[in-house]
Amino acid sequence: MIITCKKGAPQAEIDKIVHDFEQRGLEVNLITGKDYNVFGIVGDTTNIDDKQMMSNPWIENVQRVSAPYKKVNRLFHPQDTVVDVAGIKVGGKEKIVVIGGPCSVEGLEQICDLAHDVKEAGGCMLRGGAYKPRTSPYAFQGLGSKGIEYLVEARRQTGLPIVSEIMSIDKIDEFVENVDLIQVGARNMQNFDLLKALGKINKPILLKRGLCNTIEEWLMSAEYIMASGNENVILCERGIRTFEKYTRNTLDLSVVQIVKRKSHLPIIIDPSHATGDWELVESMALAAIAAGADGLIVEVHRNPECAWSDGQQCLKPEKFKTMIEKGRAIANVIGRGM
Ligand code: PEP
Ligand code: MN
């Protein structure tokens, strides 16, 4: 961390700042210039609040050199993390995983039929929302516990591990008991109490990027889960809000390699929510594979026109299958199975 003091800062103030850092066990290197004094702070500065430092009227600028996250940081964990989801490995050099299923669980028959379709197409996990974060309180809110129950039956019939979104702390026991990969949706990416509570369990967490969040904020949310003790985190890019209106969100594919540079955690792509348009899903899924993603999560529905949510971005099972076939060809080219 580099701190610049304002011109004319009194010596007593400078001594005080140096003393404060030394008290915290940090090494302070002072560079005294003609106009400015600059400190280089060496040591673990993760728990120093750089914005708070600026409340000192004699401090002109605070610049971080190291990332504010530690557990998530590749610097301290050079090898890729591989997360085990009920026997399916995600990350590292493992096969690219494909998760498929409807936006919402709509009934027992619907989810079981679709689970068979997903499996037959080559998908390795089943997704389905039971607790839905909807923009309108009048829109379908999900089947709740019944939806989880139906997912469990679909898993029993197909053997596919199940992925579902949690929205509140009071449902954690239900999810730990039933769900294999617990999704934290974009809207809850900064629900810090929820993240801390999920840090205390040992089920894998799928952490989606928030609607308007930077990569660093997203990694800090992963840090919340890991700092509380749960190191099984998979990141998921699902598009971010921009000025563009032709797509539901803007898919930030460069994030795959940036995340891999900054972190050891696996990252998967959701081309469904990223585009909001079924006609764009396949091409973005293939691009994600080429970009180095560790997996895909795709919305699939037998009858998208009648879907209870997000029909416009659902692939029919046949399309999902061809997407996987094409994806395998790309995965082979880049030396990664799928
Ligand atoms: C979902 O996966 O159905 C969902 C609501 O996703 P997101 O949180 O990315 O909007
Ligand atoms: Mn959806």
Side-chain angles (χ1 to χ4, degrees):
M1 183 172 268
I2 295 167
I3 294 170
T4 312
C5 284
K6 283 187 183 152
K7 189 172 177 176
Q11 190 58 43
E13 289 295 333
I14 292 170
D15 291 346
K16 201 162 145 288
I17 295 169
V18 172
H19 181 72
D20 283 352
F21 280 114
E22 284 174 348
Q23 286 287 96
R24 300 191 200 206
L26 295 162
E27 187 189 316
V28 184
N29 295 300
L30 178 61
I31 305 159
T32 312
K34 191 161 70 67
D35 294 319
Y36 295 100
N37 290 296
V38 177
F39 307 109
I41 313 293
V42 184
D44 183 1
T45 56
T46 37
N47 55 10
I48 293 178
D49 183 341
D50 30 327
K51 311 266 178 332
Q52 174 62 21
M53 300 263 354
M54 291 296 290
S55 64
N56 182 323
W58 294 107
I59 292 181
E60 167 109 350
N61 186 39
V62 179
Q63 207 179 333
R64 272 197 177 276
V65 177
S66 55
Y69 43 84
K70 216 166 18 179
K71 295 262 184 195
V72 165
N73 201 332
R74 193 180 276 282
L75 197 62
F76 311 115
H77 190 296
Q79 70 281 25
D80 291 324
T81 282
V82 176
V83 175
D84 187 315
V85 182
I88 292 177
K89 307 260 195 316
V90 187
K93 300 207 173 352
E94 299 293 333
K95 282 184 172 180
I96 294 166
V97 296
V98 185
I99 305 167
C103 180
S104 301
V105 179
E106 298 168 8
L108 180 61
E109 207 181 300
Q110 174 245 18
I111 195 66
C112 291
D113 286 350
L114 215 40
H116 289 287
D117 292 343
V118 166
K119 186 172 180 177
E120 203 273 316
C124 62
M125 287 187 229
L126 176 69
R127 65 150 285 151
Y131 297 92
K132 295 301 302 174
R134 305 304 301 278
T135 303
S136 166
Y138 308 113
F140 174 58
Q141 303 288 304
L143 294 179
S145 297
K146 273 272 163 245
I148 300 289
E149 207 181 295
Y150 298 159
L151 280 166
V152 169
E153 173 58 19
R155 175 180 56 202
R156 194 196 62 76
Q157 292 186 16
T158 58
L160 294 177
I162 54 181
V163 186
S164 201
E165 176 170 353
I166 191 163
M167 295 213 295
S168 64
I169 294 179
D170 63 336
K171 298 291 186 296
I172 287 183
D173 288 346
E174 183 183 14
F175 275 70
V176 168
E177 196 182 322
N178 299 300
V179 175
D180 300 296
L181 177 57
I182 304 176
Q183 176 176 325
V184 174
R187 290 153 193 82
N188 271 310
M189 188 207 86
Q190 287 191 313
N191 181 340
F192 300 117
D193 282 344
L194 179 62
L195 300 178
K196 282 190 264 188
L198 292 171
K200 300 204 174 71
I201 62 175
N202 60 11
K203 275 276 164 101
I205 309 297
L206 181 64
L207 179 66
K208 286 194 153 194
R209 182 179 182 180
L211 308 173
C212 294
N213 289 104
T214 63
I215 297 170
E216 188 166 294
E217 287 164 345
W218 185 22
L219 295 176
M220 288 304 277
S221 289
E223 185 81 9
Y224 259 93
I225 300 170
M226 296 179 80
S228 299
N230 186 351
E231 309 218 329
N232 303 305
V233 180
I234 301 170
L235 299 165
C236 176
E237 160 69 29
R238 43 79 72 207
I240 46 173
R241 279 215 172 157
T242 66
F243 50 82
E244 186 49 63
K245 296 269 191 287
Y246 279 3
T247 47
R248 182 174 178 177
N249 292 291
T250 298
L251 176 58
D252 180 6
L253 267 187
S254 56
V255 88
V256 175
Q257 290 303 320
I258 295 171
V259 161
K260 287 192 176 289
R261 202 187 287 160
K262 302 277 174 205
S263 177
H264 50 91
L265 295 175
I267 174 168
I268 71 168
I269 298 289
D270 174 348
S272 309
H273 293 88
T275 61
D277 179 347
W278 68 270
E279 287 187 284
L280 300 178
V281 169
E282 179 185 281
S283 54
M284 292 303 99
L286 301 181
I289 296 168
D294 297 302
L296 300 168
I297 179 164
V298 176
E299 288 187 338
V300 187
H301 200 285
R302 278 193 176 182
N303 190 0
E305 300 95 296
C306 299
W308 294 5
S309 58
D310 284 351
Q312 77 286 356
Q313 64 196 35
C314 287
L315 294 186
K316 289 187 176 168
E318 314 84 80
K319 264 257 163 209
F320 178 63
K321 189 174 178 181
T322 44
M323 180 203 82
I324 293 179
E325 283 161 4
K326 291 181 191 173
R328 282 202 182 114
I330 298 175
N332 282 338
V333 172
I334 61 168
R336 189 116 183 243
M338 182 166 138

